[in-house]
């Protein structure tokens, strides 16, 4: 399936390139409106090619990915957010080094 999508993408982009180059190389010598029309058609092809190239087919594995995207691995059990700040009522985070740092920033004296 991937090969088919890739081939379709490159064929569409090749057609776009041929239209654009031929429009200004020799078609403009016979008809300027035809050359402009060919460029307008060539302008529409790249977004269509991107959609064709990135489309998921029925054979692709997409149904087993939650939310349609891959999820990051879960954090380790001892991980805490970096901004784990003590509560305003003086509660501690549980990490003495972090508590001392926040106390220093807040202008509080360290409690025993």
């Amino acid at each position: 399936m991937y090969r088919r999508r890739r081939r379709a993408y490159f064929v569409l982009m090749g057609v776009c390139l041929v239209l654009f180059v031929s429009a200004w190389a020799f078609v403009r010598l016979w008809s300027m409106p035809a050359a402009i029309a060919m460029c307008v058609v060539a302008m529409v092809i790249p977004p269509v090619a991107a959609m064709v190239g990135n489309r998921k087919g029925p054979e692709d594995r997409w149904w087993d990915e939650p939310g349609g995207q891959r999820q990051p691995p879960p954090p380790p059990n001892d991980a805490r957010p970096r901004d784990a700040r003590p509560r305003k009522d003086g509660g501690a985070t549980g990490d003495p080094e972090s508590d001392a740092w926040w106390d220093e920033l807040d202008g509080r004296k360290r409690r025993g």
Side-chain angles (χ1 to χ4, degrees):
M1 192 62 169
Y2 173 72
R3 183 181 292 165
R4 186 181 315 155
R5 286 194 318 253
R6 191 173 63 178
R7 186 179 313 133
Y9 173 80
F10 284 116
V11 165
L12 284 169
M13 292 306 288
V15 168
C16 174
L17 191 60
V18 166
L19 280 172
F20 185 74
V21 170
S22 65
W24 295 113
F26 57 87
V27 173
R28 69 177 171 88
L29 300 174
W30 289 285
S31 172
M32 187 59 96
I36 293 172
M38 287 173 69
C39 284
V40 169
V41 171
M43 179 182 68
V44 174
I45 292 176
V48 172
M51 287 186 273
V52 167
N54 290 321
R55 181 181 58 202
K56 289 189 177 186
E59 293 86 21
D60 290 337
R61 293 185 56 132
W62 55 269
W63 59 88
D64 57 352
E65 296 176 3
Q69 299 175 355
R70 292 183 186 235
Q71 300 296 321
N77 292 338
D78 60 344
R80 276 196 347 251
R82 285 186 155 195
D83 60 347
R85 184 175 179 164
R87 298 187 312 259
K88 292 197 182 235
D89 62 355
T93 62
D95 179 19
E97 187 177 343
S98 177
D99 292 341
W101 186 76
W102 282 112
D103 288 343
E104 181 182 341
L105 283 178
D106 290 338
R108 292 190 216 158
K109 291 208 175 220
R110 180 92 174 121
R111 287 181 280 164

